[in-house]
Amino acid sequence: MCGITGFLGGPYSREERKDIIIKMASKLQKRGPDNLCTWIDESNHISLAHTRLSIIDKSDSGLQPMFSSNKRLVITFNGEIYNHKELKKDLENSGYQISWRGYSDTEILINCIEAWGISKTLEKCVGMFAFALWDIKKQTLILARDRFGEKPLYYGQIGKGKFSTLVFSSELKALKEHPEFHQNIDKNALSSYLKTMTVTGYNSIFEDIKKVVPGTFIIFNKDKEEQSIEKYWVLEDLINSREINEKEFHNPKIIKKNLEKLLINSVSQQMLADVPVGAFLSGGIDSSTIVALMQSQSSIPIKTFSIGFTEKEYDESRYASKISKHLTTEHNELILSPSDVTNSITTITGIYDEPFADSSQIPTYLVSSLAKSQVTVSLTGDAGDELFCGYNRYRFASTLWPLIKKSPKLLKSILKLAINLLSPSEIENILENIPISNNWNMIGDKVYKILNTLNSNNINTLYEKLISNAFKESSLILNDQFENKNFVEIPHIKLNDVEHLMLLDLMNYLPNDILAKVDRASMGNSLETRIPFLDHRVVSYAWQIPLKYKLNKTKNKIINKWILREILYEYVPKDFFERPKSGFGIPLGKWLRGPLKEWANDLLSENSLKKYNLINSKKIQKIWDEHLSCKKNHEHALWTILVFQSWCQDNI
């Protein structure tokens, strides 16, 4: 894993260019602490830089920016091409003659592009990546990103006239080092952040800076003009054209066998490295499956890592420990106290270039720090929820949503009014003796979330409400009124409501929240994380599997991730997982009333909020008072504001 950055344009001398590009790259050294190298073509006004975290071919032959064999192409690359050995064999079998300098995946990738072109090469690649490629002959710059957005890549035009420059980077902090960069907040991006706790869509928090769309590459000419945006992966097309094979996809035994084979292959490829490899183990279905498949292919104990909490109601480390013992992994755990969080909170919020308020960023950062003490690469179980129907919102869409759609507006209005008279804790007290409530954590908060969906009129508005965890209407707390729908909506496609939500998550929540969180938290510790579930062959197969084998309904209950569980139960006893689903959460509401209260008070003060003149201080103070008095639990809303205020201190 590495950091990449560069710029095209500007009236700078070679010395000025070198000074600028080194300053930009130096901000990425957490992503690549082993080397910092640059390449400058003054005559064409192009500058590239690379910071390296050595994973495969640690020798100097793997240094970047790197040339193709005929010196026509030069690349700065971040990521891993897991099938690079197969690509090399295909290239050599096709008659392509090359004298290899080393065996890095970057060298294989750039020479495949030279021989086959970029579209064909990217279609063949299995991996996660973001890269910039300069074609010396055509004088074009290509920016490319992997299929699902595992690796970040920002770009944009800054400056005017002769100072007009196209900039790009793995992180925004590098772009801020360019002399023409201006830190103007995109108010529409801020609006989306306040609702979802992340900057959604393909804009960034800064005006004029965008994200390269996953599964695409962009071609720019020497004059920085965007010539085309090409898609090399379109999941919607694959779904639209799927044909259910009666023999395979209606036989769960065959599905299980084929899916397990694909997962074993993905895990096997992603375990390859010239450095120590381990895995995150939360004790849930997804991470346990990945670790089980890793250990089944290893002759030595896999190093596993988990986080726990001193607050027992949030601590799931005991489950991870139990699974580790069964699989005989070499397990490492860290039990967090409030002081551990308070001591590292500034560092944690600071590694996210954009405001990012998914509070699971904290344990993710700390488990990455724990893992880095022993390994350089860690596999994770991320994306299992999106592919195999893991989130509670899928259950909701399958059970309650059909009833809500049919209910009269008057009935929904009365229900909403009645529930609003109760606090989440009062709702939990009422429901605690009802059996179904035993399968839900924090059911009071979930009832309030369901309440917010009652006036949804279609699946897209339902989705927006379900993932708006902070402020339902961001305009209510902004001093200026901005509302912009930044979710990536899907085109007309043959899906039921549950699958529709799953696809929206794959295109929105996964890249904007989950992948951004894991990338920044791990790279903030110079740790590479890999996600076997996001092998595109696994994703493609998963989307062919009928929904009934993911969300399996019986007379008494609904079992999510059914087909994945069937694979896991071959390695770990079923009764290890007979418990409610939990997220990777922290006791945030409690800590904001306790050890984080002083820190929060300072950031939420009237003077602090008015300093940036963006957030309505009186409305935030009311929310803060309600939370402190335990009248309501506003942890998500408050954390969203606190993170934004902390971000403003560093960026405005």
Side-chain angles (χ1 to χ4, degrees), residues 466-569:
L466 286 173
I467 68 169
S468 294
N469 291 317
F471 297 96
K472 308 309 176 188
E473 296 296 334
S474 56
S475 59
L476 297 178
I477 63 160
L478 286 170
N479 286 331
D480 295 321
Q481 299 305 303
F482 291 91
E483 275 301 329
N484 186 44
K485 195 166 188 178
N486 262 333
F487 298 113
V488 179
E489 293 189 1
I490 59 178
H492 179 68
I493 198 167
K494 300 174 183 177
L495 296 173
N496 60 45
D497 284 346
V498 176
E499 290 179 320
H500 198 114
L501 290 183
M502 292 171 69
L503 185 56
L504 283 169
D505 272 333
L506 201 62
M507 299 174 69
N508 289 279
Y509 183 65
L510 181 71
N512 295 327
D513 189 306
I514 302 299
L515 299 182
K517 174 186 67 180
V518 174
D519 174 80
R520 307 310 190 276
S522 60
M523 295 313 299
N525 288 284
S526 302
L527 175 77
E528 173 171 300
T529 48
R530 299 176 176 179
I531 305 176
F533 283 124
L534 284 183
D535 182 315
H536 72 274
R537 298 165 298 185
V538 173
V539 174
S540 297
Y541 190 81
W543 270 98
Q544 310 303 310
I545 299 173
L547 185 62
K548 64 182 178 180
Y549 297 129
K550 300 173 187 175
L551 202 63
N552 186 261
K553 297 181 181 180
T554 66
K555 290 182 179 180
N556 300 318
K557 58 182 177 179
I558 298 175
I559 302 173
N560 64 355
K561 304 181 186 176
W562 182 84
I563 192 67
L564 197 60
R565 289 171 185 266
E566 290 299 300
I567 293 172
L568 176 59
Y569 296 158

Side-chain angles (χ1 to χ4, degrees), residues 55-308:
I55 302 293
I56 295 174
D57 190 355
K58 298 169 66 177
S59 72
D60 287 352
S61 62
L63 290 175
Q64 301 180 46
M66 181 183 292
F67 284 93
S68 59
S69 62
N70 67 3
K71 306 297 183 183
R72 173 179 168 173
L73 306 177
V74 58
I75 194 171
T76 180
F77 171 86
N78 168 33
E80 298 290 347
I81 305 298
Y82 302 124
N83 65 332
H84 63 277
K85 291 183 178 180
E86 289 86 346
L87 292 177
K88 181 179 181 180
K89 187 177 296 184
D90 288 348
L91 190 62
E92 292 174 338
N93 289 342
S94 68
Y96 188 77
Q97 300 295 320
I98 182 172
S99 176
W100 299 99
R101 298 189 298 270
Y103 60 94
S104 73
D105 56 344
T106 307
E107 184 180 3
I108 295 167
L109 173 67
I110 193 172
N111 284 291
C112 284
I113 295 172
E114 181 181 274
W116 300 330
I118 188 163
S119 293
K120 182 179 178 180
T121 299
L122 293 183
E123 288 169 7
K124 285 175 169 282
C125 284
V126 178
M128 56 175 181
F129 53 82
F131 64 80
L133 180 82
W134 177 251
D135 188 319
I136 295 173
K137 182 178 179 180
K138 291 184 177 180
Q139 296 187 329
T140 57
L141 177 70
I142 296 176
L143 301 180
R145 196 175 179 200
D146 63 60
R147 292 172 175 85
F148 305 105
E150 290 185 66
K151 294 295 102 188
L153 186 53
Y154 295 93
Y155 76 100
Q157 297 272 3
I158 60 175
K160 294 181 180 180
K162 67 177 182 178
F163 291 98
S164 174
T165 306
L166 173 67
V167 294
F168 66 87
S169 184
S170 301
E171 297 182 12
L172 289 171
K173 60 173 63 73
L175 302 185
K176 287 158 58 179
E177 292 300 308
H178 194 283
E180 293 302 312
F181 187 86
H182 296 287
Q183 298 176 173
N184 300 322
I185 288 181
D186 184 322
K187 302 292 180 60
N188 291 324
L190 173 59
S191 177
S192 74
Y193 162 75
L194 291 171
K195 293 173 71 173
T196 65
M197 304 188 296
T198 68
V199 176
T200 57
Y202 300 132
N203 294 323
S204 80
I205 192 63
F206 292 122
E207 291 179 349
D208 303 322
I209 303 298
K210 301 177 182 179
K211 304 163 191 168
V212 175
V213 176
T216 71
F217 60 90
I218 311 174
I219 303 174
F220 299 89
N221 63 23
K222 183 182 177 181
D223 295 325
K224 308 172 290 296
E225 295 171 346
E226 190 176 290
Q227 292 185 305
S228 64
I229 299 179
E230 305 289 339
K231 292 184 178 181
Y232 65 90
W233 165 260
V234 184
L235 180 60
E236 306 98 288
D237 290 349
L238 180 148
I239 296 168
N240 253 335
S241 63
R242 63 182 175 172
E243 295 181 2
I244 303 299
N245 181 294
E246 287 289 330
K247 186 176 180 181
E248 177 177 347
F249 289 103
H250 284 271
N251 185 327
K253 291 183 179 179
I254 296 177
I255 294 173
K256 175 186 170 184
K257 178 182 177 182
N258 289 340
L259 178 60
E260 183 176 12
K261 183 178 179 181
L262 284 169
L263 286 172
I264 287 172
N265 178 259
S266 177
V267 167
S268 176
Q269 284 191 332
Q270 296 193 28
M271 288 173 67
L272 294 175
D274 293 337
V275 292
V277 177
F280 295 164
L281 178 60
S282 69
I285 299 295
D286 305 329
S287 65
S288 299
T289 301
I290 297 304
V291 170
L293 296 178
M294 290 177 71
Q295 192 59 70
S296 70
Q297 299 179 71
S298 176
S299 59
I300 60 174
I302 295 294
K303 293 179 183 290
T304 53
F305 306 90
S306 68
I307 290 289

